[in-house]
Amino acid sequence: MAGGVNRKISAASARAHTRRAKQNSSFQLPPGMFTKALVALFIGFSAWTYQAIQPPPSKIIGSPDGPPVTAPFIKLSDGRRLAYKEHGVPKENAKHKIVFVHGFDSCRHDAVVAETLSPETVEDLGIYIVSFDRPGYGESDPNPKRTVKSMASDIEELADQLGLGHRFYVIGFSMGGQVLWSCLKYIPHRLAGAAILAPVVNYWWAGFPANLSTEAYSQQLQQDQWALRVSHYTPWLTYFWNTQKWFPASSVVAHSRDILSDQDKELMAKLEKRGTYVEQVRQQGEFESIHRDMIVGFGTWEFTPLDLENPFPNNEGSVHLWHGADDCLVPVKPQRYIAQQLPWIHYHELPGAGHLFPHADGMCDNIVKALLTEG
């Protein structure tokens, strides 16, 4: 009788056999599949990032998909349209002709000097004022090549095409005030005088003491500090940063009241009329208006206001710098320093005033009279 063979299997052998079975039955990716998956993920993320940082195309005025043309305009030498609005006495009868430059997130209708100047002052001094939409705002064509210098050129062309004469006055408010530094640099021979109202400061201008720039910069809200950093160091991210929802973006873009002084909050009631035209301000898109303003205004300049020379060495005109001592949007200390370094500037610091001081009753009469009558 044949007997069966008894084989004893050790516990260690059983465990090894089980491990080999599990290893043989586990799922394995084809060779190189993991690397290909990572590459695909990277490409997908890159494509999403590229789309996120790309601003939508502008809705050009007068184009099939753009807003209609409603304002008078000139054609600049490069073919762009520059829309404008006239105020005051007829140009032909004017004794003094002024170009007004509006501020950030504004348009030709936001000509505070023209809107608040008393009729008596306008008539007595024979004042004509033209305000215009800066590139990308209102009904002026965008200028993707906009620079600090190009703004001065636009103003000079506007004056020439409107026949304002060899010399004319300029008044600028806030970001428009910053533009006037470029006028003093590039077209000083065309100016009869300049009034710079609460001009925005570029904290990276050469010549500012480091401690002064740091102190003034740190007075900004944290979210505004980041918005300015992005505009200066990574301008290609400006659109993305100010439209993303993960972190607080610019409080100025968001029209936050947290950056207003007590006087500014009181003066806000005077801005209610903006409701009739505020939609026109960004109607061509945000990137070529407010975001381009930030990129140019806080970018790297090819000059610093601190190096400017007196455009009126024979007192044939004057430059005035006005600023509110309680301005929470643009700190006052950099303005004081500029005035100290440029003693030919007539510096007017207003105690208790904030950023919106030009809207205070009677203020623009004082500003214009100082500009037109002080040598």
Side-chain angles (χ1 to χ4, degrees):
M1 177 175 135
V5 178
N6 281 330
R7 298 176 60 190
K8 292 185 178 180
I9 301 176
S10 68
S13 298
R15 287 195 296 270
H17 177 77
T18 302
R19 283 197 298 270
R20 285 194 298 272
K22 288 183 178 179
Q23 290 172 355
N24 292 335
S25 63
S26 64
F27 173 75
Q28 292 184 346
L29 289 172
M33 180 63 74
F34 182 70
T35 300
K36 292 178 180 178
L38 284 179
V39 170
L41 182 63
F42 175 76
I43 292 175
F45 178 76
S46 298
W48 176 85
T49 301
Y50 178 79
Q51 291 295 326
I53 66 176
Q54 293 301 306
S58 299
K59 297 179 179 179
I60 304 299
I61 291 292
S63 66
D65 297 327
V69 176
T70 65
F73 62 88
I74 64 166
K75 277 283 190 174
L76 298 168
S77 57
D78 61 3
R80 286 183 293 115
R81 177 190 293 108
L82 198 73
Y84 65 90
K85 181 178 181 180
E86 297 176 294
H87 320 257
V89 303
K91 182 172 49 184
E92 298 75 19
N93 303 331
K95 299 175 184 176
H96 303 94
K97 298 168 184 176
I98 301 172
V99 177
F100 179 82
V101 189
H102 69 74
F104 182 80
D105 204 9
S106 305
C107 69
R108 66 189 184 280
H109 298 302
D110 291 302
V112 57
V113 172
E115 297 295 331
T116 63
L117 204 57
S118 69
E120 294 77 16
T121 298
V122 172
E123 292 296 330
D124 290 346
L125 295 178
I127 297 172
Y128 163 89
I129 301 175
V130 59
S131 57
F132 67 99
D133 291 329
R134 292 195 286 112
Y137 282 109
E139 295 189 23
S140 287
D141 290 337
N143 182 8
K145 298 180 180 179
R146 195 199 325 174
T147 63
V148 175
K149 185 176 182 179
S150 71
M151 279 305 310
S153 299
D154 286 356
I155 291 172
E156 185 175 28
E157 282 199 60
L158 176 67
D160 287 341
Q161 293 199 37
L162 294 183
L164 302 190
H166 180 64
R167 289 184 181 271
F168 51 89
Y169 296 88
V170 287
I171 300 178
F173 173 48
S174 192
M175 189 67 84
Q178 189 192 64
V179 169
L180 263 56
W181 296 123
S182 66
C183 293
L184 292 169
K185 170 67 175 179
Y186 296 112
I187 58 169
H189 57 288
R190 300 301 308 275
L191 304 182
I196 309 171
L197 316 180
V200 170
V201 169
N202 184 323
Y203 300 99
W204 293 271
W205 276 335
F208 271 147
N211 62 331
L212 174 64
S213 295
T214 300
E215 179 185 353
Y217 182 76
S218 64
Q219 292 177 19
Q220 306 290 302
L221 297 178
Q222 280 290 336
Q223 65 194 82
D224 292 329
Q225 292 181 34
W226 274 104
L228 299 186
R229 283 193 195 101
V230 170
S231 298
H232 181 78
Y233 293 110
T234 55
W236 46 276
L237 281 177
T238 302
Y239 170 78
F240 168 75
W241 184 262
N242 287 286
T243 55
Q244 52 79 31
K245 305 301 180 184
W246 299 319
F247 306 102
S250 168
S251 64
V252 183
V253 172
H255 294 168
S256 172
R257 294 179 65 90
D258 294 338
I259 55 175
L260 300 179
S261 70
D262 291 339
Q263 187 202 56
D264 287 341
K265 292 175 182 177
E266 295 175 1
L267 292 173
M268 281 297 292
K270 294 180 177 291
L271 302 182
E272 292 179 355
K273 63 180 181 181
R274 296 192 81 232
T276 61
Y277 60 82
V278 69
E279 292 184 358
Q280 298 179 31
V281 174
R282 307 183 193 179
Q283 64 183 347
Q284 297 186 79
E286 295 186 358
F287 182 70
E288 287 297 344
S289 53
I290 58 175
H291 298 153
R292 183 69 65 186
D293 252 4
M294 297 174 72
I295 291 171
V296 174
F298 299 106
T300 300
W301 283 37
E302 57 193 32
F303 76 94
T304 171
L306 296 169
D307 294 334
L308 291 174
E309 297 181 357
N310 184 0
F312 308 113
N314 299 316
N315 293 323
E316 66 272 33
S318 58
V319 178
H320 298 257
L321 172 57
W322 298 75
H323 208 85
D326 293 346
D327 192 331
C328 300
L329 183 61
V330 182
V332 69
K333 285 189 176 181
Q335 315 292 11
R336 292 174 182 166
Y337 186 79
I338 291 173
Q340 291 170 359
Q341 299 303 305
L342 305 178
W344 43 268
I345 286 183
H346 298 250
Y347 181 58
H348 311 263
E349 186 171 309
L350 307 172
H355 193 69
L356 301 179
F357 69 83
H359 293 275
D361 293 340
M363 180 54 64
C364 283
D365 281 68
N366 295 335
I367 291 169
V368 170
K369 288 178 181 178
L371 175 64
L372 302 184
T373 61
E374 292 184 16

